[in-house]
Amino acid sequence: MSAVPEKTCLMGIDIGAGSLKTMIIDSSGRVRGSAAVDIVTHSPHPLWSEQDPEDWWKAVCTTVPMALKEAGLTAGQIAAISFSAGAHTPVLEDGQGRLVRPAILWNDQRSGAESRELQEKYGDRILAIGLNRPAPTWTLPQFLWLARHEPDAVRRTARVYVAKDWLRSRLTGTWETDRTEAVGTLLFDAANDRWSPELCDMAHWDIATLPPLVTPTTIVGQVTAAAARAAGLAEGTPVVCGTSDTSIETFGAGSVRPGDGTVKLATAGTISVVSREPRVHPTLINYPLAVPGLWYTITGTNSCASAHRWFRDRFMMGAGTSGSAAFAEIDRLAATVRPGAEGLLFHPYLQGERAPYWDPMLRADFVGMTFRHDKAHFSRAIYEGIAFSLRDVLDQFRAQEMDIRTARIIGGGSKSATWRQIVADVLNVEILLPETTDASFGAALLAGVGIGVFSDELSAAAACAKVIDRSTPDPDNVAFYDRLFGVYKEAQAGLANVNHALSRITG
């Protein structure tokens, strides 16, 4: 490995839904080292999804030394550090800096009743002020649920963090967030650039507990002596704010100009389009992009790689089989089956659904099974069903005249050439594969912008976001999938009431 001058490498740390990853890159965007460890998600009750933030900090203390070792670097060669994580994940601390309760994740569905109530009472106002509609994924309904079911936790809360900000505070001891995360709480007045008293009142939440605002590239502090000892970092290393994972991934993949599209095949599946202003609509979600002056409009399906992993864990893991080998076998099997999986359809609603239905009571299903179908057909149907769900999402953009003809693809699912081609054919969009797609990569780039390694965000993306493969839609497959998608939609509509009845019967 070639020598690296002092303090020219950048570190990005990302909290994913199932793991935490630390990545180190140099100023050309080359990945020098990385490490990841799993994070346990707890579901103590149906529809709940929580994590212990202390597990995130333990993961940082584990992965930082591993990444430095792989890179062949010392902690003193890291010029700056930044962070990302999923939006909508609040961390509550009391006045002594102690955690009040576990963090409620973005895919938690407990606040379905609160979301419906907020929509019925205040839907138009919430959309006008917060740019988005209430759903269980947002912090506003989560806080209303807490006010009703855990009032002691609300009374004890002195500071609210969003996930990446709490983790970053373990390094610096500071308290702040960026505007993308603020919009993600659904407690922020974007037009007036401030926390909204009106939205906070809807959740019975004290606005004084919400953090100060900075830009994603602001240097918010330095690694403290205690944090350096615990995590294997160098005391005094600059720490840059960072932003939420979808914003940072869009930027890191190179989608940095109006009209650029991004498809994400991760725990959730999403499609986003970059624009100069928010495109406010009940079925779409708006955030500021990591690039100043730009927004991205995004919406998605709840279960993507999580459905893929569910299928692997339940049906593909035999004695002595590793997780990676099982994923590889699913991919191999899916490639052996013709488009359409011989009439087997999959709706991936394993944890309710976001766009376009916003319905936590929907359930997953396989439709059209026969004796002919085997593991290969189910593997293909998983890939196609998730792609159809993304088509359902993309149609919301097209209804608002926001079409895309090319999109960069990110997330763990982007590693599969078969899945990339299916997505290209189902969406009828050319799919571009960046060389590096991790949120931790985008976080490292923002760290570089923050300390001046790159002159600005566009320069960082131009220098480091490289496309290594393309999947072009096949016209015959596009036409076939267009017909099959109609059947997929018809089956979804026909089963919606059945899903609701099953959810009511089983509680």
Side-chain angles (χ1 to χ4, degrees):
M1 185 174 290
S2 60
V4 178
E6 289 292 310
K7 289 189 178 296
T8 61
C9 284
L10 305 162
M11 180 177 287
I13 300 174
D14 172 65
I15 310 168
S19 64
L20 180 142
K21 186 169 188 176
T22 295
M23 180 179 288
I24 301 170
I25 68 171
D26 60 28
S27 58
S28 70
R30 177 188 173 193
V31 177
R32 304 287 304 192
S34 66
V37 296
D38 290 342
I39 302 293
V40 177
T41 298
H42 304 278
S43 298
H45 302 284
L47 304 180
W48 288 33
S49 183
E50 300 182 339
Q51 290 180 358
D52 182 352
E54 292 290 355
D55 289 343
W56 307 338
W57 176 236
K58 293 174 185 175
V60 168
C61 296
T62 299
T63 57
V64 165
M66 293 168 63
L68 286 168
K69 182 177 180 180
E70 182 178 281
L73 299 172
T74 66
Q77 290 174 287
I78 302 301
I81 306 166
S82 191
F83 289 81
S84 73
H88 322 295
T89 301
V91 181
L92 312 181
E93 279 191 352
D94 66 16
Q96 287 71 49
R98 298 172 300 201
L99 290 169
V100 171
R101 68 172 326 282
I104 300 175
L105 298 189
W106 57 266
N107 56 357
D108 187 286
Q109 297 291 301
R110 78 186 72 182
S111 59
E114 287 73 20
S115 298
R116 290 190 292 275
E117 178 183 329
L118 288 165
Q119 177 62 27
E120 290 169 3
K121 289 184 175 180
Y122 313 113
D124 290 344
R125 287 297 295 161
I126 294 172
L127 190 64
I129 300 170
L131 308 181
N132 299 293
R133 64 172 286 171
T137 194
W138 298 91
T139 311
L140 169 57
Q142 294 170 1
F143 278 0
L144 181 56
W145 186 94
L146 287 173
R148 289 174 172 173
H149 298 277
E150 297 183 11
D152 183 62
V154 175
R155 284 192 296 269
R156 291 170 54 205
T157 299
R159 284 185 172 185
V160 174
Y161 295 82
V162 185
K164 70 102 172 50
D165 301 314
W166 181 88
L167 186 58
R168 191 190 60 246
S169 75
R170 299 309 91 186
L171 296 187
T172 64
T174 61
W175 180 48
E176 58 279 307
T177 195
D178 64 282
R179 286 164 178 80
T180 300
E181 297 280 27
V183 169
T185 67
L186 205 54
L187 298 168
F188 186 67
D189 182 343
N192 292 298
D193 193 32
R194 64 176 187 176
W195 296 108
S196 169
E198 184 176 350
L199 295 177
C200 288
D201 286 347
M202 292 176 191
H204 310 298
W205 199 265
D206 182 359
I207 198 170
T209 65
L210 302 177
L213 297 168
V214 298
T215 68
T217 55
T218 297
I219 299 173
V220 298
Q222 299 177 336
V223 175
T224 65
R229 288 192 298 270
L233 293 164
E235 182 181 356
T237 304
V239 180
V240 171
C241 178
T243 190
S244 71
D245 58 356
T246 52
S247 177
I248 220 163
E249 287 165 339
T250 300
F251 155 67
S255 296
V256 293
R257 301 186 185 281
D260 286 352
T262 305
V263 174
K264 181 179 180 180
L265 302 181
T267 300
T270 63
I271 295 177
S272 63
V273 182
V274 177
S275 61
R276 298 193 184 279
E277 64 280 318
R279 300 292 292 268
V280 179
H281 188 270
T283 66
L284 302 175
I285 298 170
N286 295 276
Y287 297 104
L289 187 61
V291 179
L294 294 179
W295 289 72
Y296 65 105
T297 303
I298 185 171
T299 195
T301 179
N302 264 353
S303 302
C304 179
S306 54
H308 188 210
R309 184 169 185 165
W310 164 83
F311 180 69
R312 180 202 69 175
D313 292 348
R314 296 297 191 276
F315 305 108
M316 301 298 292
M317 293 292 287
T321 303
S322 70
S324 58
F327 275 137
E329 179 64 3
I330 293 172
D331 202 53
R332 185 192 70 80
L333 290 171
T336 67
V337 176
R338 292 176 58 83
E342 294 194 42
L344 183 64
L345 292 174
F346 173 63
H347 294 95
Y349 312 141
L350 286 159
Q351 197 165 19
E353 185 54 300
R354 286 191 282 176
Y357 307 107
W358 303 101
D359 187 348
M361 297 175 70
L362 290 183
R363 293 187 170 209
D365 58 63
F366 287 98
V367 176
M369 287 181 284
T370 71
F371 282 126
R372 290 180 57 83
H373 293 122
D374 57 23
K375 285 184 178 179
H377 297 91
F378 281 88
S379 298
R380 180 87 186 190
I382 288 281
Y383 282 4
E384 292 180 338
I386 293 167
F388 282 140
S389 192
L390 289 170
R391 165 72 183 272
D392 231 355
V393 166
L394 182 58
D395 281 355
Q396 308 311 301
F397 287 99
R398 288 172 172 161
Q400 303 303 312
E401 299 181 349
M402 295 178 66
D403 204 1
I404 52 175
R405 304 310 303 171
T406 65
R408 300 192 181 216
I409 193 166
I410 60 177
S414 67
K415 298 174 183 177
S416 167
T418 298
W419 206 351
R420 294 197 304 270
Q421 187 61 52
I422 289 171
V423 170
D425 291 339
V426 169
L427 302 185
N428 193 20
V429 169
E430 184 182 33
I431 296 297
L432 312 180
L433 178 66
E435 183 177 33
T436 308
T437 66
D438 297 279
S440 54
F441 175 76
L445 291 183
L446 276 191
V449 176
I451 63 167
V453 171
F454 308 108
S455 59
D456 56 29
E457 292 83 357
L458 293 178
S459 299
C464 301
K466 305 173 179 69
V467 172
I468 59 172
D469 194 20
R470 296 171 182 264
S471 300
T472 303
D474 178 280
D476 292 337
N477 288 345
V478 168
F480 172 78
Y481 279 132
D482 195 55
R483 295 196 302 273
L484 191 59
F485 179 65
V487 180
Y488 174 94
K489 291 277 287 182
E490 186 176 352
Q492 187 283 325
L495 289 169
N497 288 336
V498 174
N499 294 162
H500 288 183
L502 289 171
S503 294
R504 286 192 298 269
I505 290 170
T506 60

